[in-house]
Amino acid sequence: MKKQWYDYLWIVSLTYLVLGFFNILFAWLGLLCFFIPLIISIAKGTKGYCNRYCGRGQLFSLLGGRFGLSRRKSIPSWMKSKAFRYGFLVFFFVMFFQMLWNTCLVFAGAQDLKQVVTLLWTFKLPWHWAYHGTFLHPGAAQFAFGFYSVMLTSTVLGLVTMVLFKPRSWCVYCPMGTMTQLICKAKNKGP
């Protein structure tokens, strides 16, 4: 089957992670990975982004499939359950809103910029080399550090589940996938 342009979006995901390592302000580009799936699911009522355009899912397929870094075992049924997926979505939102709160505190001047990336919502990694100040408010950088933390954490979780289970196991409980699925169900529900 002939490759399409969107079959190479894994390069975008990999480039995003590399750029954020060298300049944290590139983390703002990750908002595209939040808004595009929502727009597609609202406009078309499909999970087209997840199924075709998700560069992260493609990256996991490439690493786990073609490069054989996956055990290719089925994901446990508890990870497929609504309780786990919705629970993880709620947990993800709590962490996301905490990151937004910290950003607001920096914008308000109530807190100083923290040049750290928090991995797995717990481990604070110094990331000072990726930010050298700009004409932008430090709050813009705080958002970038927080958002990159979210993106890096979800990538690490995806890599772990890729190795332990099937390549795209992350897709089963991905918060964006769960949100788009909820939107599609609501949109396609008959009157």
Side-chain angles (χ1 to χ4, degrees):
M1 191 158 48
K2 185 180 176 188
K3 293 266 188 184
Q4 301 292 324
W5 64 269
Y6 49 77
D7 291 323
Y8 299 97
L9 289 174
W10 64 270
I11 297 169
V12 174
S13 285
L14 194 56
T15 302
Y16 172 82
L17 293 171
V18 171
L19 289 174
F21 185 82
F22 292 105
N23 186 335
I24 200 65
L25 294 178
F26 281 109
W28 279 85
L29 294 173
L31 287 174
L32 294 172
C33 297
F34 270 52
F35 290 119
I36 292 173
L38 296 175
I39 291 167
I40 289 174
S41 61
I42 290 167
K44 296 192 175 201
T46 68
K47 289 186 62 166
Y49 181 86
C50 296
N51 297 330
R52 180 173 289 170
Y53 304 115
C54 180
R56 184 178 299 175
Q58 290 176 7
L59 181 62
F60 296 151
S61 289
L62 180 69
L63 295 173
R66 189 180 306 167
F67 293 120
L69 299 177
S70 173
R71 292 175 50 217
R72 298 181 183 183
K73 303 286 184 191
S74 291
I75 194 165
S77 56
W78 63 268
M79 290 181 84
K80 297 179 194 175
S81 72
K82 283 184 181 181
F84 179 77
R85 289 184 300 112
Y86 295 154
F88 187 72
L89 177 64
V90 168
F91 174 75
F92 188 84
F93 266 120
V94 168
M95 295 297 109
F96 185 77
F97 286 120
Q98 181 183 7
M99 180 266 298
L100 289 178
W101 175 251
N102 288 329
T103 299
C104 290
L105 290 175
V106 173
F107 270 113
Q111 179 175 294
D112 291 332
L113 172 66
K114 292 182 177 75
Q115 295 186 50
V116 296
V117 167
T118 307
L119 185 61
L120 299 172
W121 302 286
T122 307
F123 306 104
K124 295 188 184 311
L125 309 174
W127 220 262
H128 57 277
W129 65 84
Y131 179 70
H132 303 289
T134 65
F135 64 92
L136 299 174
H137 191 282
Q142 187 64 60
F143 178 84
F145 278 108
F147 200 78
Y148 191 80
S149 297
V150 168
M151 297 296 277
L152 186 62
T153 291
S154 57
T155 300
V156 168
L157 289 173
L159 287 170
V160 168
T161 53
M162 175 204 74
V163 169
L164 295 175
F165 309 112
K166 291 182 179 176
R168 289 187 69 154
S169 294
W170 163 255
C171 301
V172 172
Y173 65 99
C174 168
M176 289 309 301
T178 303
M179 277 194 297
T180 57
Q181 184 178 39
L182 288 171
I183 291 167
C184 292
K185 282 182 179 178
K187 184 165 176 68
N188 296 322
K189 194 174 189 178

